[in-house]
Amino acid sequence: FLNDIARAYENDADLVNLLFDPYFRSAVESRLPALRRVVAAAVTAGIPVPCLSAALAWWDALRSERLPANLLQ
């Protein structure tokens, strides 16, 4: 894992976020459907998963060009 991180910064020394590296972006995107299913099942069952749901919301916000919160900013 650390080698993958080092490789990402070797490829782009000005990398702002690891998720902008193609390897890490594809790793997250390939697992995103499973994360959505887990969060949905937990919420449906009344099981709090604050870290998982916050991570999913953060990812959705990161990749969204326009959000309702932009009106407040």
Side-chain angles (χ1 to χ4, degrees):
F1 186 72
L2 292 177
N3 288 334
D4 294 327
I5 294 172
R7 191 173 306 114
Y9 283 104
E10 287 170 2
N11 292 337
D12 183 0
D14 296 325
L15 190 64
V16 176
N17 187 320
L18 279 175
L19 291 174
F20 297 144
D21 178 73
Y23 171 79
F24 287 98
R25 183 179 181 104
S26 68
V28 170
E29 286 178 342
S30 68
R31 292 161 178 87
L32 199 55
L35 177 59
R36 289 189 190 284
R37 287 191 305 272
V38 167
V39 171
V43 169
T44 300
I47 300 169
V49 286
C51 292
L52 293 178
S53 59
L56 182 57
W58 178 82
W59 174 259
D60 288 339
L62 179 69
R63 63 184 185 82
S64 296
E65 186 175 326
R66 296 182 68 204
L67 295 172
N70 291 349
L71 295 172
L72 303 175
Q73 297 172 358

